[in-house]
């Protein structure tokens, strides 16, 4: 089946993206430290600390999403309720960031964000729970009547 490779690819991409996000924020914090400029009257040290914190939070969030997908790929079982909620928020985050980066960075970054979002959504759809549907003449819950939600 192709569910496990999709989940594994999504996990690897999200884990790499987590490392990239932390490194990007580290570079931004270093540049801010070298500039020592105030942003709308804010203390430059507060801006630098905020950049580091945001990099850590975003990297941790992406690493958690990647770890959930890695667990799904290794065990081969669908994610639980809270794991699905986490992955849906990950897909929504990539959709919103994709809309932002298309204007700031360009279409290549947009394509990357949409590809990652597509991997996460494809994993969610591939591991969709199967719910029995009552058929016309048979008992509810037969294997033939089960359809993905």
């Amino acid at each position: 089946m192709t569910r496990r490779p999709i989940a594994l690819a999504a996990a690897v991409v999200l884990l790499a993206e987590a490392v990239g996000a932390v490194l990007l924020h580290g570079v931004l914090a270093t540049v801010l430290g070298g500039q020592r400029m105030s942003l709308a009257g804010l203390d430059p040290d507060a801006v630098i600390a905020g950049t580091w914190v945001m990099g850590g939070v975003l990297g941790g969030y992406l690493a958690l999403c990647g770890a959930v997908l890695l667990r799904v790929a290794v065990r081969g079982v669908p994610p639980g309720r809270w794991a699905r909620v986490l992955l849906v928020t990950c897909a929504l985050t990539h959709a919103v960031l994709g809309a932002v980066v298309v204007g700031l960075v360009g279409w290549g970054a947009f394509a990357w964000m949409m590809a990652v979002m597509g991997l996460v959504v494809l994993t969610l759809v591939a591991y969709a729970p199967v719910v029995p549907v009552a058929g016309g003449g048979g008992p509810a819950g037969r294997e033939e009547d089960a359809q993905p939600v």
Side-chain angles (χ1 to χ4, degrees), residues 23-83:
L23 290 175
L24 175 67
H25 281 83
V27 168
L28 289 173
T30 304
V31 169
L32 283 171
Q35 298 273 330
R36 301 297 306 168
M37 294 188 332
S38 173
L39 179 66
L42 291 175
D43 181 29
D45 292 328
V47 176
I48 294 167
T51 303
W52 276 112
V53 168
M54 188 59 210
V57 168
L58 182 62
Y61 172 71
L62 292 172
L64 178 64
C65 294
V68 166
L69 284 170
L70 187 62
R71 180 177 178 263
V72 167
V74 169
R75 295 184 68 202
V77 296
R81 176 177 293 184
W82 291 109

Side-chain angles (χ1 to χ4, degrees), residues 2-21:
T2 61
R3 296 186 321 172
R4 283 185 174 185
I6 291 169
L8 185 63
V12 168
V13 167
L14 282 175
L15 290 171
E17 196 174 26
V19 172

